[in-house]
Amino acid sequence: MAGGQQQAETNPGAIPAGDLPAGATGELNTERWLRDLQQALRLEVERGCGDLMGRQQSFSSFAAECWQTVPLSLQSEERSQAQSFAEAFATYGQLSVARRQGLVRRCRQWLHDWQRSRQPSTPVAPPRLRLASDPSQAPRRGSGGLKLDTPLAEMPGVGPKTAARLAALGLLLARDLLHYYPRDYLDYAHLVRISALEPGRTATIVASVRRCHAFNSPRNPNLSILELHLQDCTGRLRVSRFFAGRRFSSPGWLKGQQRLYPPGADVAVSGLVKDSPYGPCFQDPLIEVLEDPRALVRSEQIGRMVPVYGLTEGLGADRLRQIVAGVLGLAAAQPDPLPLAIRQQHALIERADALVAIHRPTDAAQLQAARRRLVFDEFLLLQLALCRRRLEFRSRIAPVLQCPAGGGDGATDGTTTTPTLVDRFLDLLPFPLTGAQQRVLSDIRSDLARPQPMARLVQGDVGSGKTVVALAALLIAVEAGCQGVLMAPTEVLAEQHFAKIGAWLPQLHVSSALLTGSTPAARRRELLQDLINGQLQVLVGTHALLEDPVQFQRLGLVVVDEQHRFGVRQRNRLLAKGLQPHLLTMTATPIPRTLALSLHGDLDVSQIDELPPGRQPIRTRCLRASQRHEVHALIREQVAQGQRAYVVLPLVEESEKIDLLSAVAVHRQLQEEVFPDLQVGLLHGRLGSDDKQRVLTAFATGSCQVLVSTTVVEVGVDVPEASVMVIEHAERFGLAQLHQLRGRVGRGSAASHCLLIHDGNNAMARQRLEVLVGSSDGFAIAEMDLQLRGPGAVLGTRQSGLPDLALASLTDDGSVLELARDVAQAVIAADPNLEHHGGLAKALAEQRQRQLEAARLN
Ligand code: ADP
Ligand code: MG
């Protein structure tokens, strides 16, 4: 029907532009055809059906053409109707006005019906409910003589039994209830029509009763059933409620129920939607009869977000809700600690409103606003405390550690100044520092040259070369006449550091010693003596360094390697030994930013974000236990090329409960059955220090080619010839830990391999391991680990510095954390002692008090 299309272009009608459309369109555009025709019909009616003249044609000829050239979307009967309309409009000019009006009306009606029939049933708007005045406002009226520190046992309506049960939840005072945040919410604010109900989701509907039936269960005489058949404009639904107990089975009671829900009555129903053979249904929902669909809902729950609290034996959900509701009036009792200007600037709602709304949100949006405010507060207090700690730390006086000669970074050759210790050290190294190492070293150098103590965290992926940076820093301290300490989390690592230092420091005429738990008493005495009289310049050790008899003559710098293995308290204990040493902490566990900000917000952070050149990427694969022969073949092939292999196991001894291969058994099997011609070493935490050292040396020098080990190799062991890392039961390790282990290989120039052996049955675990196969970016892996396992697991149980956050999540609330950090920094910068922020100072003091109390209880 190209004619229609053509006509639209070549038939400029006589009707003025803007009055009638220029012409009909063909099947290509139904919407336009409809719109143009409807517009013409409307105009014709408005002008009294006088057969309006357009610019190029009359209304009647335009309409007749339209009906002749109809869109393809018209069905065959519709086409015959169109044909008769076309004929009728062809004679329109000869009809009386009354008949013209009749024709136009019929035509418009037909088009209207046709249009509706074409549209997929237009979605019906969800119902509306009128809820009793905003519940978040209601409790404000009064708190019935309650105070924040009223014991719950004295709360009206709470007897000794209930008080004891609340105490079991840790709820003693009224304020505790206010901060006993719901674990979850039933979203009854989700108002829908019946046709839109989704099984598995909570919802509220407003519907009318078709029929109601209350009867005794045919199978159980003690059970009565109420069945409601409901409908709204979109569909029908069955609702059942069950009543257990004899008292519900009397005919009188059943009749009474039926009378409650007469046919035609409007009801609001909230509950969990279930699937049934007859479609979605509600089982045991909340039901309220409404006087009319617009009547006020009396229920405290229907149509709202209903809080779900952690419960305890003997304390039901409704009872606890009611008790919490009783203290909400107290929320308004405290002034908002956050100045109005900050609240406005960052769109934070008032704290009192947030406290009420977190318990009784009217809808998801209000809940979100409430949560954002309370999460912000948690982070803000944390960040304020960190900012102040930082400020306080910086206000102390530390020795200025500056090389007298003021040498460069060692990379600058040809200067006339006498080379510094650091310069000479860097000359000893068989490689130049990477750009990242140089940058971090110069950060450290300028920190040390200031009288404020340095508090710096160096983050760098495994193998990025943090050790040489640490040694250079220690040499700066030595050159300035101070002593330096390098603390490592394990003996193995401390010994390894010491071995490295032993290769370099004697050449620089710097004295050094190792102090660990297994240092013999005589050696120890001698060493402590040298430390006090200043003979000993660099001390390497484990946490044995923290013990009381260890005293320095002039401690200038403390380097803590793999600092995530140490708690904040341990760190501070060491600091207390010096006048006020500078502090350099290093970590290879890339900490996700949210965690780093929460834990180390008081530290400056430098990043070694570049690996030494020539490193080959590590090829990572996931294998099932049944593919172990491939592992053995790879080890054999690599050893033949002069490389070495680690086999890491999660446990030392076979446990009856957990079916894991033990290191001992694996070692025996590998040595006796698989590699009888090779030397297979065994390293685990229960070995004595000498044995450990012997095993490591054998592996480092190559007299042993395969090292079976528990996770003691995780941190820092450095054997560049190792090119295979096999990890048994990889699913039992966290991703960050696996990444650390993997970092033990790929340190030389040979291509390296990491084989993750898993039991193959756990799809989730397998998926987690695939993250490692796909990524070698420690930060991305750490983020993923945080998402998958949460902060506690990521940091390990030894990390005690995690803040206690009731509501905030380090995984989900990163942006609020950043905001809180910015605000905290601005506040502290403008008002270091919080003299003009009384509310915040008070909140901070209260928090510290709570922490002290909690620490005392533990
Ligand atoms: P980590 O950052 O994991 O503690 P290490 O300090 O143990 O890493 O360094 C890993 C390996 O890289 C060591 O063998 C070290 O000697 C070597 N290394 C460090 N810096 C460089 C560099 N700039 N160029 C080449 N190799 C380097
Ligand atoms: Mg290291």
Side-chain angles (χ1 to χ4, degrees), residues 412-690:
T412 53
D413 285 341
T415 48
T416 49
T417 48
T418 36
T420 62
L421 260 183
V422 175
D423 293 336
R424 289 193 282 140
F425 166 63
L426 296 179
D427 279 344
L428 286 179
L429 292 179
F431 45 74
L433 292 188
T434 62
Q437 284 170 316
Q438 285 179 29
R439 204 184 54 241
V440 173
L441 185 55
S442 81
D443 286 348
I444 294 171
R445 196 191 291 279
S446 55
D447 283 354
L448 293 177
R450 277 193 281 262
Q452 294 87 31
M454 166 170 78
R456 185 169 290 278
L457 172 69
V458 173
Q459 286 201 31
D461 216 336
V462 272
S464 59
K466 294 181 291 295
T467 316
V468 286
V469 173
L471 286 182
L474 287 167
L475 290 174
I476 295 174
V478 169
E479 184 132 65
C482 283
Q483 291 165 306
V485 154
L486 175 56
M487 189 161 83
T490 62
E491 280 195 16
V492 167
L493 192 56
E495 277 158 14
Q496 182 187 285
H497 280 324
F498 185 63
K500 277 214 168 145
I501 283 177
W504 289 314
L505 296 199
Q507 301 183 58
L508 301 167
H509 307 291
V510 173
S511 57
S512 59
L514 175 70
L515 178 65
T516 68
S518 36
T519 305
R523 170 84 189 111
R524 192 186 181 87
R525 262 195 306 279
E526 187 189 348
L527 194 152
L528 292 179
Q529 195 54 45
D530 287 350
L531 211 51
I532 293 187
N533 64 32
Q535 296 262 12
L536 189 54
Q537 292 165 297
V538 172
L539 181 63
V540 181
T542 55
H543 50 266
L545 288 175
L546 299 175
E547 286 164 21
D548 286 331
V550 183
Q551 296 296 335
F552 298 83
Q553 191 203 43
R554 190 157 187 252
L555 180 58
L557 171 65
V558 173
V559 180
V560 184
D561 194 14
E562 306 295 345
Q563 72 86 40
H564 65 286
R565 289 298 194 99
F566 293 95
V568 173
R569 217 172 303 159
Q570 281 173 308
R571 206 166 74 193
N572 291 342
R573 236 175 111 182
L574 188 55
L575 287 180
K577 288 186 179 289
L579 308 160
Q580 177 56 68
H582 294 276
L583 177 67
L584 177 63
T585 60
M586 306 200 294
T587 184
T589 303
I591 305 176
R593 184 166 165 80
T594 53
L595 270 185
L597 287 184
S598 309
L599 287 170
H600 313 302
D602 55 337
L603 303 178
D604 293 316
V605 179
S606 294
Q607 208 87 257
I608 305 188
D609 49 9
E610 180 186 349
L611 291 181
R615 296 276 167 83
Q616 301 247 14
I618 302 166
R619 181 152 182 251
T620 304
R621 279 193 293 159
C622 286
L623 295 176
R624 289 160 186 271
S626 57
Q627 293 168 290
R628 198 170 274 116
H629 56 276
E630 291 182 34
V631 175
H632 297 155
L634 179 72
I635 292 178
R636 200 165 267 297
E637 172 202 308
Q638 292 288 307
V639 169
Q641 292 170 21
Q643 307 294 321
R644 270 152 250 167
Y646 293 101
V647 177
V648 178
L649 296 139
L651 269 193
V652 184
E653 216 89 85
E654 197 135 26
S655 145
E656 283 173 2
K657 283 190 197 134
I658 314 160
D659 179 24
L660 286 181
L661 305 165
S662 80
V664 177
V666 168
H667 172 255
R668 189 179 313 125
Q669 196 219 357
L670 287 180
Q671 179 68 86
E672 289 171 9
E673 295 166 26
V674 187
F675 304 118
D677 51 328
L678 302 180
Q679 276 302 316
V680 181
L682 174 61
L683 186 67
H684 58 74
R686 296 189 197 167
L687 285 182
S689 163
D690 287 350

